[in-house]
Amino acid sequence: MRIARLCEDRMRRVREPDRGQITIEFTGMLPIIIVTLIAIWQMVLIGYTFSLAGNSADEAARAYAVTDGWTRGEECDKAGRKNLPAAWDSEARIDCPAIDTGVQTDLDTVDVRLKVPVLFPGTLNWFFPVEAHASAAKEANG
C-alpha cells in the first residue's frame, strides 16, 4: 500500500511542471490552424465557381439555341443567371452572340465570366475571373 502511494506521489510530481503546456501549444498553433482552414475554404470557393460557370454557360447556350426571334439574348442571359447565387450573379458577365453575325454555323456559343468571392461569398472578389465556354446545336423550329 505504501509503495503504491509513493509511486502515485512521484507521478504527480513529474506531471506538475507540464501543467498548461497543452494550452500554450494550442495557442501557438491556433493561427496556423485558422489560416489553413481559410485556405481550404478559398479552394472550395474556387472549385465551386468553376462548376457554376460551366453550368451557367451550358444553360445559356441551350436557351439561346432553342429560342427564336428578338428575345434570344434576353432568354440566354436569364437562363445563364437562373442558378447563380447572389454573390456570383452580381459580378457575372454572360456573353450571348449577336442575332446577326453574318457567319452561319450550326452551333450557338456562349461565354460566361464569373469572379471568385474571397473567404465569404459577397464580401470581396478574387483577382482573377473564371471563364467558361459552351456551345449548343441550333434547334430547327417549325
Side-chain angles (χ1 to χ4, degrees), residues 122-137:
T123 55
L124 301 171
N125 283 318
W126 196 249
F127 59 89
F128 70 91
V130 171
E131 296 179 355
H133 179 79
S135 299

Side-chain angles (χ1 to χ4, degrees), residues 68-114:
D68 276 336
W70 294 102
T71 61
R72 290 178 84 184
E74 293 171 14
E75 292 298 320
C76 173
D77 190 65
K78 189 188 318 180
R81 294 178 186 277
K82 181 175 66 174
N83 295 323
L84 289 178
W88 285 269
D89 188 28
S90 63
E91 298 284 328
R93 194 177 93 204
I94 300 172
D95 295 328
C96 302
I99 292 176
D100 284 324
T101 60
V103 178
Q104 297 295 324
T105 64
D106 292 335
L107 293 175
D108 289 320
T109 60
V110 174
D111 294 315
V112 173
R113 173 181 250 167
L114 300 177

Side-chain angles (χ1 to χ4, degrees), residues 20-110:
Q21 182 69 27
I22 294 174
T23 304
I24 292 171
E25 288 176 1
F26 179 73
T27 304
M29 289 296 295
L30 190 61
I32 295 170
I33 293 169
I34 290 173
V35 168
T36 302
L37 290 175
I38 289 171
I40 290 170
W41 180 247
Q42 188 60 49
M43 294 300 120
V44 167
L45 284 176
I46 291 170
Y48 186 54
T49 302
F50 272 98
S51 177
L52 285 174
N55 182 57
S56 179
D58 288 340
E59 294 286 334
R62 175 74 178 139
Y64 191 80
V66 299
T67 307
D68 276 336
W70 294 102
T71 61
R72 290 178 84 184
E74 293 171 14
E75 292 298 320
C76 173
D77 190 65
K78 189 188 318 180
R81 294 178 186 277
K82 181 175 66 174
N83 295 323
L84 289 178
W88 285 269
D89 188 28
S90 63
E91 298 284 328
R93 194 177 93 204
I94 300 172
D95 295 328
C96 302
I99 292 176
D100 284 324
T101 60
V103 178
Q104 297 295 324
T105 64
D106 292 335
L107 293 175
D108 289 320
T109 60
V110 174

